[in-house]
Amino acid sequence: MKKILVADDEELIMNLVCDFLRRDGYEPLSAGDGEEALEVFRNNQDIALVILDIMMPKIDGWEVCRTIRQTSNVPIIMLTARSQEFDELTGFEAGADDYVTKPCSPVVLMKRVAALLKRDNSPVSMSVYQIDDLKLDAEAHDVFLHGSSVMLTLKEFSILYKLISNPGRVFSREQLLDDIWGFDFDGDMRTVDSHVARLRTKLGDWGIKHIRTIFGTGYKIEAE
């Protein structure tokens, strides 16, 4: 039974989400503020996914997300009443994999949870890809650059895997959005751009050299 951490200071919403998680066969772990969320996460290294509210006491959801991302690439869904574009982009910049705005149907949220977990454990036809000094191990979900591990979020890893497993092929923003976020994602193309920009930053000179923008179309990995 997969453990899922739910952090929300609104007890009614937290209990509702936990009830639906139990119904779908998950083991929910709850936290009422950001500080407790980090404590629960550190004490349960086998947590499979995290659902975070943004406006929480003590430590907000953005900071919780950033802290988790320092040591883990566990899928993270931001569940919040804040719907402004700035808040959504800030959530993705903090390392979130998905963003759900309240009020949200619990059924839709469960579909997002299932989709993230499925993508995180999806089988691959080839395990290891390498271009120059970067190596991606799809089975182990690891990325190494110059021999050092690179911490990527699930979405960043998925983008890199999609591109590096098809070198030279151009993927449109629409294709990446549909393949990685899913057809029911209600964000826009700038979500893809912000993730690619952050991926390039994490990969430094390699990212600048090999992840190419095809203006008006999308992105590709350029391999010599």
Side-chain angles (χ1 to χ4, degrees), residues 117-140:
L117 291 175
K118 181 180 179 181
R119 289 169 200 152
D120 196 32
N121 294 286
S122 57
V124 293
S125 57
M126 179 176 173
S127 179
V128 178
Y129 299 85
Q130 182 160 359
I131 295 178
D132 293 346
D133 294 318
L134 183 135
K135 181 172 73 172
L136 182 148
D137 187 329
E139 186 173 340

Side-chain angles (χ1 to χ4, degrees), residues 31-51:
D33 59 63
E35 189 174 279
E36 185 182 5
L38 288 175
E39 182 179 355
V40 172
F41 185 81
R42 293 182 182 118
N43 292 333
N44 294 271
Q45 295 299 310
D46 55 345
I47 287 175
L49 185 141
V50 179
I51 300 174

Side-chain angles (χ1 to χ4, degrees), residues 97-224:
D97 295 291
D98 206 347
Y99 194 103
V100 178
T101 303
K102 300 176 185 176
C104 170
S105 163
V107 175
V108 172
L109 179 59
M110 293 306 105
K111 287 184 178 180
R112 297 285 184 91
V113 168
L116 275 176
L117 291 175
K118 181 180 179 181
R119 289 169 200 152
D120 196 32
N121 294 286
S122 57
V124 293
S125 57
M126 179 176 173
S127 179
V128 178
Y129 299 85
Q130 182 160 359
I131 295 178
D132 293 346
D133 294 318
L134 183 135
K135 181 172 73 172
L136 182 148
D137 187 329
E139 186 173 340
H141 213 280
D142 287 328
V143 175
F144 295 93
L145 183 60
H146 307 301
S148 298
S149 178
V150 181
M151 183 65 66
L152 301 179
T153 68
L154 175 59
K155 288 295 192 295
E156 292 164 356
F157 183 91
S158 298
I159 291 172
L160 181 60
Y161 169 65
K162 189 79 173 177
L163 296 177
I164 203 171
S165 60
N166 297 275
R169 177 180 170 183
V170 178
F171 287 91
S172 69
R173 291 172 175 83
E174 291 87 351
Q175 285 176 305
L176 293 173
L177 201 64
D178 289 344
D179 291 348
I180 295 172
W181 277 266
F183 290 100
D184 60 344
F185 180 69
D186 55 6
D188 59 29
M189 302 304 158
R190 284 169 292 188
T191 298
V192 176
D193 295 336
S194 65
H195 277 72
V196 172
R198 191 168 67 243
L199 179 61
R200 275 203 189 103
T201 298
K202 289 185 176 182
L203 298 180
D205 291 340
W206 190 97
I208 295 171
K209 177 180 179 182
H210 290 287
I211 302 177
R212 304 302 299 271
T213 300
I214 309 303
F215 291 101
T217 305
Y219 298 96
K220 72 173 182 177
I221 285 283
E222 193 168 85
E224 296 177 356

